[in-house]
Amino acid sequence: MNAEMTHDLVIVGGGLVGASLAARLAGSRLKVLLIEAALPPASPPRWDERCIALNDASQRILDAIGVWRLLAPDATPIRATHVSEKGRFGSTRFDADEAGLAALGYNVPLRAIGAALSAAMAQAPNVDIRQPTRVVSLQLEADSVVLGLDDGGVVRTRLVAAADGAQSSVRTLLGIGAETRDYAQHAIVSAVRLSRPHQGVAYERFTPDGPMALIPKPDDAASLVWTVPSDMAGEMMGWTDDHYRAAAQEVFGGRLGRFTALGARRAWPLARVVSETVVAPRSVLIGNAAQSLHPVAAQGFNLGLRDVANLADRILAADDPGQTQMLDDYAASRAIDRDRVTGFTDLLVRAFSNRLPGLAQARHWGLVAASLAPPIRDALLRQHLGHLGLPANAAAVSS
Ligand SMILES: Cc1cc2nc3c(=O)[nH]c(=O)nc-3n(C[C@H](O)[C@H](O)[C@H](O)COP(=O)(O)OP(=O)(O)OC[C@H]3O[C@@H](n4cnc5c(N)ncnc54)[C@H](O)[C@@H]3O)c2cc1C
């Protein structure tokens, strides 16, 4: 195969994680190419636009990348999180005050994150972007990898970072397996306007059918993520706005007054997909390509950003970005964070679902223990903030 260009790093997939890695390496000595299958989204700001909840660790990483200042005007601080279960009195609440922080995290429009990362890449002479183009073949050679593209192009690189999502084609081309657990649930994502101020509090409410989350947005609106069994999702997507709004209100209750308006709805099927390994010769999997999670604890991108921060530090310190020992060290260093977050998220889904085999009896006592026992609260709070997997240099960035 004749490779038309040679790069230090090719990032396959320009979603949130791939774009974050490219932005992190902007201005470095490395020659980086990002390949993305889709055209850039063109989405104007809307009150009900899709947002993503970033924890404190992610805010620090994006600050260290240099894009937080671009995002900050669009970010709604999450000052507390309230966790409860429908039909039970057990509940717990985490406050930014108890962590000594101004906010536990921020709810940020995807549009704003995408725009900030694109701006960082556009200003960097060492980062090229090729889209819309799909990687369709991969061949390992002595000290490089050659990628074939569906537009007929061929590129050579010393390292491939697969950030091409849960159904990663690079993972398949590398022959790496993945364990998939279909939760038979869908997340229906929307937004509501509230008759009472949310005061920066995010709510996670567990129901036998699945969790419902309300996460603060500007002007007393909130992102609404309602997880339901897949066999109910189709019908619910067909409900009128008034019907859906009333049903959501019945599940959430009256803590934030009335839901006075409902935004557009979109549904996602939910599965856990965990790659057997995250490295192969001259290749590394990051973000959803490495692990794709249930959104219950809003951990997916947060975890993927910690992949980015850790990997970027190692690539920048290495003579050869595809060095085997460096990649093995990366995989080993990410294992604990990865196992803890994928395990914790899965446990939450099963513990609070009556339809999945799990720990239904224990959940009430879990909430009670979290509200009473300091070591449990402390561990959950640090998990929530993302501090357990934060690289040392990102932790040093003050928020
Ligand atoms: C309902 C819902 C709510 C969520 N809420 C949160 C939250 O609040 N907080 C949080 O941290 N996480 C959240 N997540 C998880 C988060 O959305 C994901 O973890 C994150 O978007 C993954 O990003 P990624 O870049 O790894 O993958 P993706 O977003 O899947 O991007 C992969 C990219 O690769 C491209 N691609 C695929 N194949 C190829 C190829 N062969 N060649 C070139 N390009 C290719 C695709 O076009 C795509 O752009 C949520 C998820 C869901 C479903």
Side-chain angles (χ1 to χ4, degrees):
M1 230 190 261
N2 287 325
E4 57 184 47
M5 281 190 265
T6 301
H7 294 85
D8 295 308
L9 171 67
V10 169
I11 303 167
V12 183
L16 290 177
V17 171
S20 297
L21 180 59
R24 169 69 179 88
L25 298 172
S28 72
R29 64 184 157 76
L30 298 174
K31 196 164 181 246
V32 177
L33 174 66
L34 184 137
I35 299 173
E36 165 55 44
L39 285 166
S43 43
R46 292 166 48 123
W47 79 270
D48 60 347
E49 65 188 328
R50 193 178 160 208
C51 290
I52 200 151
L54 301 178
N55 62 24
D56 181 65
S58 294
Q59 188 274 333
R60 289 169 192 240
I61 292 169
L62 291 168
D63 198 18
I65 290 176
V67 295
W68 181 256
R69 66 192 164 79
L70 303 173
L71 296 175
D74 286 299
T76 307
I78 301 170
R79 305 203 188 279
T81 301
H82 180 279
V83 185
S84 64
E85 186 179 3
K86 189 168 187 272
R88 300 257 197 176
F89 290 112
S91 71
T92 193
R93 180 176 156 128
F94 299 99
D95 275 275
D97 288 350
E98 64 184 295
L101 295 168
L104 293 172
Y106 297 83
N107 200 26
V108 187
L110 283 179
R111 165 194 55 79
I113 304 178
L117 294 172
S118 295
M121 288 186 281
Q123 284 166 10
N126 67 317
V127 177
D128 290 328
I129 301 176
R130 200 154 160 167
Q131 73 183 133
T133 308
R134 181 172 285 278
V135 169
V136 289
S137 71
L138 181 154
Q139 188 178 312
L140 179 66
E141 298 196 344
D143 55 7
S144 63
V145 175
V146 178
L147 299 170
L149 311 181
D150 69 355
D151 62 6
V154 177
V155 292
R156 183 184 294 276
T157 180
R158 296 203 286 167
L159 176 66
V160 181
D164 54 346
Q167 306 307 321
S168 167
S169 46
V170 172
R171 188 176 65 214
T172 305
L173 291 168
L174 289 167
I176 298 174
E179 185 205 289
T180 301
R181 176 176 295 160
D182 183 355
Y183 288 118
Q185 292 182 335
H186 274 61
I188 305 180
V189 178
S190 182
V192 282
R193 286 198 189 279
L194 308 163
S195 70
R196 261 192 224 158
H198 53 57
Q199 295 178 321
V201 180
Y203 293 84
E204 185 82 55
R205 187 148 174 77
F206 289 93
T207 84
D209 285 331
M212 172 184 279
L214 260 84
I215 309 160
K217 282 167 84 89
D219 303 326
D220 285 316
S223 303
L224 172 65
V225 183
W226 191 357
T227 303
V228 298
S230 295
D231 55 16
M232 291 166 55
E235 186 190 335
M236 290 173 70
M237 287 297 287
W239 289 349
T240 63
D241 282 1
D242 282 349
H243 184 167
Y244 191 89
R245 186 162 49 93
Q249 178 90 68
E250 200 279 320
V251 169
F252 183 72
R255 278 189 183 88
L256 292 173
R258 285 176 302 107
F259 295 170
T260 56
L262 179 79
R265 276 169 267 166
R266 200 174 146 195
W268 274 265
L270 302 180
R272 183 181 105 130
V273 184
V274 179
S275 173
E276 279 166 7
T277 173
V278 297
V279 290
R282 295 203 170 269
S283 309
V284 58
L285 310 180
I286 55 173
N288 272 24
Q291 63 275 316
S292 174
L293 312 177
H294 193 290
V296 60
Q299 295 281 335
F301 178 50
N302 288 306
L303 183 61
L305 261 183
R306 300 202 292 277
D307 290 346
V308 165
N310 192 312
L311 180 66
D313 286 352
R314 289 170 191 277
I315 294 174
L316 288 169
D319 293 337
D320 174 357
Q323 210 180 40
T324 304
Q325 188 60 52
M326 183 271 285
L327 293 176
D328 288 345
D329 290 347
Y330 166 78
S333 75
R334 295 300 298 135
I336 296 174
D337 192 20
R338 197 170 170 249
D339 290 353
R340 185 169 41 218
V341 176
T342 50
F344 170 74
T345 303
D346 191 52
L347 182 75
L348 267 186
V349 181
R350 289 187 298 114
F352 284 93
S353 169
N354 282 357
R355 292 202 184 185
L356 297 169
L359 309 149
Q361 300 305 318
R363 63 195 181 208
H364 173 62
W365 297 111
L367 282 184
V368 172
S371 60
L372 297 179
I376 294 177
R377 282 194 68 72
D378 195 45
L380 284 175
L381 184 58
R382 287 199 299 145
Q383 167 90 23
H384 199 57
L385 294 168
H387 288 181
L388 295 169
L390 196 58
N393 67 339
V397 177
S398 63
S399 52

